[in-house]
Amino acid sequence: MSDLPRRRLLQQGLGAGVAGAAWLALPAFVRHARAAGAPHPFALGVASGSPTASSVVLWTRLAGEALPPEVPVAWVLAADEAFTRLVARGSVPAREADAHSVHVEVPGLEPARWYWYRFDALGQRSPAGRTCTAPAADAAPARLDFAVASCQRFDHGHWAAWRDAAEHAAAGRLDLVLFLGDYIYEYTSPPGAVRAHEGGATTTLEGYRARYAQYRRDPLLQAAHAACPWIVIWDDHEVENDYAGLQGERLQPDFAARRAAAYRAWWEHMPLPPALRPAEAGGGAMTIHGRLDWGTLARLQWIDTRQFRDPQLCPRPDRGGGSNTVRLRDCPGLVRETARTLLGAAQERWLAEGWSTAPGVWNLLAQQTLMARFTREAVAGQAAGPGGGAAANGREPGHLEGRYWTDGWDGYPAARRRLLSVLAERRVPNAVVLGGDVHANYVADLRVDPDDDDARRSPLVATEFCGTSISSRGSPQRVVDAALAFNPHIRYGRSEERGYLRFTLTRERLDAEMRVVADVADPHSAVRGAARFVVEAGNVGAVRRD
Ligand code: FE
Ligand code: CA
């Protein structure tokens, strides 16, 4: 949406002291959150999400000692920042059974509109949040500004990236945040962490709730939530590292109960519809995939690569489950067991259906991790770099070369091929895959067969942007540099960048910018645009612009 007037500039806020960003300041809700002091029922902030063309979900969770089992929470939604034109209002109970969280789905809204909302409870008023609805299905919006973020490990750093995102939203340059997983990390913090997780590893409902509360007390995260609606999916650390379906990393017999607690706490803390509240049965099973049409500009689909996946093959013997990095010849099942799935059959079909109609100019797929093939050692014919794939083209399918991490798409190559084949067969236009998880920025070309760079046999079907972590540490750049030589379809790979991806989508082009934090140990850190890429509508593949 481009019709949002630039907000009046505020004199205060963390942004005022940041070189190059002094003209941008944080919205009032950050100062409110900071001024509120310790015991405040809205100390965890407010959020909105799951927008449609006619509805949006408002969220908060009351904080405080010894809250009654049920607390009435009044909410209002207004058409203006001063709350003079109220559009909707109501009251909902914040129940102890839901950790005193509230999820208000407001129907009957106008499409493509900005709204402001706030809550009242226990004689206190929350900071205001700003949210928006999607354009009507038949509308042709000129642009969409959105961010892609993931992996905000609290004890690995501060969240200047979220301050930067909130500043862009305040300036009218961010409509939507896509958060692609690892919202919390379940670990105990090691000694010497930048800031420590409270308590031990999270395994119970109480533990997960406390971890979310610790993360949500961060004012920079609160600012980004209050600035615009979010669409959220999870990855592994919302539950446990590298889990797969109902299998824990160490094959714990009680893993289903842990997963149910984790899924429940995730729902409690995310701006998700009330109807998604999971039951405890079945490990808390819940449907989180979805789609949203931004008018005729873009179809956005988001999926779940955790809950329905087959377990990773060839795990480390000391763990029993979870990921490993293996040579294909030592784990041939990776290519030979072609029925293995990352999405589950039902979700695969659902995604393909979403691409059958494809009403948008752009087709965005938000998912958890790097989709591009990423071998850590040479495969035949590819060591020569781009254009050196002639030998690879003559190879038998199912060749056993390369060294791969089994938790990502490389652990499920047949499932990846099925997904990319749908894009090819249905000629889905302007497909863009968005991801996270690997704590590095990658830009890649996606082909049905990543080893075959013959454009006739294996055309480019999608452009991939895998965004780096907000704060979680990445691997050394030299490791990535060594691997890039074996993966010529990956055009950009930076593992020491922390931050997020910012996109502007128009009917003509997609502009992508890596927003990179200078010092993740500093909440006041500068954040800059480290690289920019463009994808022209009608052309697959990103072109670097600086
Ligand atoms: Fe992560
Ligand atoms: Ca992950």
Side-chain angles (χ1 to χ4, degrees):
M1 280 186 281
S2 56
D3 56 345
L4 181 78
R6 184 162 285 207
R7 286 175 50 130
R8 93 191 127 76
L9 303 180
L10 298 163
Q11 299 305 308
Q12 275 184 283
L14 295 172
V18 175
W23 63 277
L24 278 171
L26 279 179
F29 40 75
V30 178
R31 289 179 290 123
H32 184 113
R34 303 209 129 196
H40 188 285
F42 298 105
L44 305 182
V46 301
S48 74
S50 311
T52 70
S54 64
S55 70
V56 71
V57 174
L58 312 179
W59 174 95
T60 191
R61 177 190 165 191
L62 302 183
E65 301 283 303
L67 292 173
E70 200 166 300
V71 181
V73 178
W75 58 271
V76 294
L77 186 82
D80 64 324
E81 191 173 3
F83 289 87
T84 55
R85 289 179 287 135
L86 293 193
V87 172
R89 68 190 314 163
S91 179
V92 288
R95 296 193 175 97
E96 193 170 32
D98 296 331
H100 293 96
S101 65
V102 300
H103 301 73
V104 181
E105 194 166 22
V106 187
L109 300 178
E110 289 178 31
R113 286 288 304 273
W114 285 98
Y115 295 97
W116 284 258
Y117 62 94
R118 68 187 179 203
F119 302 91
D120 284 277
L122 300 168
Q124 301 278 338
R125 174 158 290 173
S126 78
R130 197 187 63 146
T131 191
C132 68
T133 47
D138 59 353
R143 63 187 277 176
L144 166 65
D145 293 285
F146 67 98
V148 165
S150 64
C151 295
Q152 49 183 9
R153 188 161 164 175
F154 184 91
D155 51 354
H156 281 184
H158 286 276
W159 296 334
W162 285 132
R163 189 205 66 232
D164 186 70
E167 287 168 353
H168 277 94
R173 296 195 305 252
L174 187 59
D175 302 321
L176 190 64
V177 169
L178 308 178
F179 192 87
L180 304 187
D182 291 358
Y183 190 98
I184 58 162
Y185 283 72
E186 77 279 22
Y187 300 122
T188 307
S189 291
V194 175
R195 48 180 181 168
H197 281 145
E198 292 163 5
T202 55
T203 57
T204 63
L205 183 55
E206 194 181 30
Y208 285 110
R209 283 172 170 170
R211 187 59 52 87
Y212 279 102
Q214 186 184 11
Y215 279 50
R216 276 293 177 86
R217 283 197 297 272
D218 184 286
L220 302 181
L221 176 59
Q222 287 186 18
H225 270 298
C228 67
W230 287 34
I231 289 171
V232 294
I233 50 178
W234 57 39
D235 193 30
D236 52 341
H237 290 288
E238 283 86 351
V239 182
E240 187 209 27
N241 182 53
D242 285 356
Y243 84 92
L246 281 167
Q247 178 182 293
E249 189 181 20
R250 293 171 191 274
L251 312 181
Q252 309 93 308
D254 54 351
F255 182 75
R258 181 178 181 181
R259 197 188 81 166
Y263 281 10
R264 176 65 171 278
W266 183 77
W267 172 82
E268 287 173 349
H269 292 84
M270 293 298 131
L272 294 164
L276 278 193
R277 183 183 193 267
E280 205 174 313
M286 63 190 288
T287 303
I288 69 163
H289 61 259
R291 67 174 68 102
L292 173 65
D293 289 334
W294 203 263
T296 57
L297 177 61
R299 166 159 286 189
L300 170 63
Q301 303 195 89
W302 54 93
I303 57 176
D304 175 358
T305 60
R306 277 290 154 196
Q307 187 177 188
F308 306 110
R309 67 160 68 193
D310 287 319
Q312 301 88 341
L313 287 181
C314 310
R316 285 168 42 163
D318 59 325
R319 288 185 185 150
S323 74
N324 201 349
T325 301
V326 295
R327 291 202 166 86
L328 214 45
R329 65 171 173 269
D330 297 329
C331 191
L334 287 176
V335 288
R336 290 184 181 153
E337 296 179 27
T338 55
R340 293 179 68 245
T341 181
L342 196 59
L343 305 185
Q347 193 180 199
E348 271 190 35
R349 275 196 306 277
W350 172 90
L351 180 61
E353 283 162 18
W355 279 330
S356 299
T357 49
V361 174
W362 298 91
N363 285 281
L364 311 179
L365 175 64
Q367 47 86 52
Q368 281 75 10
T369 190
L370 180 68
M371 190 174 284
R373 197 282 310 274
F374 188 88
T375 177
R376 283 142 170 89
E377 63 183 31
V379 296
Q382 288 219 322
N393 294 344
R395 214 166 43 224
E396 292 288 303
H399 59 280
L400 297 176
E401 293 174 316
R403 186 161 171 267
Y404 298 104
W405 182 51
T406 59
D407 193 61
W409 283 97
D410 283 328
Y412 302 79
R416 174 171 57 198
R417 172 179 274 275
R418 285 196 298 276
L419 185 149
L420 294 171
S421 295
V422 173
L423 293 175
E425 287 159 12
R426 306 196 183 178
R427 298 179 186 280
V428 176
N430 301 315
V432 178
V433 172
L434 307 166
D437 175 49
V438 291
H439 308 175
N441 279 319
Y442 289 110
V443 180
D445 297 333
L446 293 176
R447 298 176 189 278
V448 174
D449 181 351
D451 292 334
D452 187 346
D453 59 9
D454 183 295
R456 287 156 304 161
R457 278 193 311 263
S458 183
L460 286 177
V461 292
T463 310
E464 175 168 27
F465 292 92
C466 184
T468 193
S469 54
I470 291 286
S471 57
S472 308
R473 211 167 288 138
S475 46
Q477 183 62 34
R478 61 181 160 72
V479 174
V480 171
D481 284 341
L484 287 180
F486 310 129
N487 297 281
H489 51 285
I490 300 180
R491 295 166 177 240
Y492 183 90
R494 295 283 183 279
S495 59
E496 290 173 354
E497 294 177 346
R498 305 279 72 80
Y500 69 100
L501 300 179
R502 201 174 74 80
F503 294 92
T504 298
L505 201 57
T506 65
R507 303 182 89 79
E508 293 75 36
R509 56 192 259 174
L510 174 146
D511 284 279
E513 182 183 44
M514 281 73 184
R515 298 296 299 171
V516 172
V517 176
D519 179 4
V520 77
D522 178 8
H524 304 278
S525 172
V527 181
R528 69 191 168 92
R532 292 177 183 82
F533 285 85
V534 172
V535 183
E536 304 280 353
N539 292 337
V540 183
V543 178
R544 186 147 180 194
R545 281 295 161 87
D546 67 326

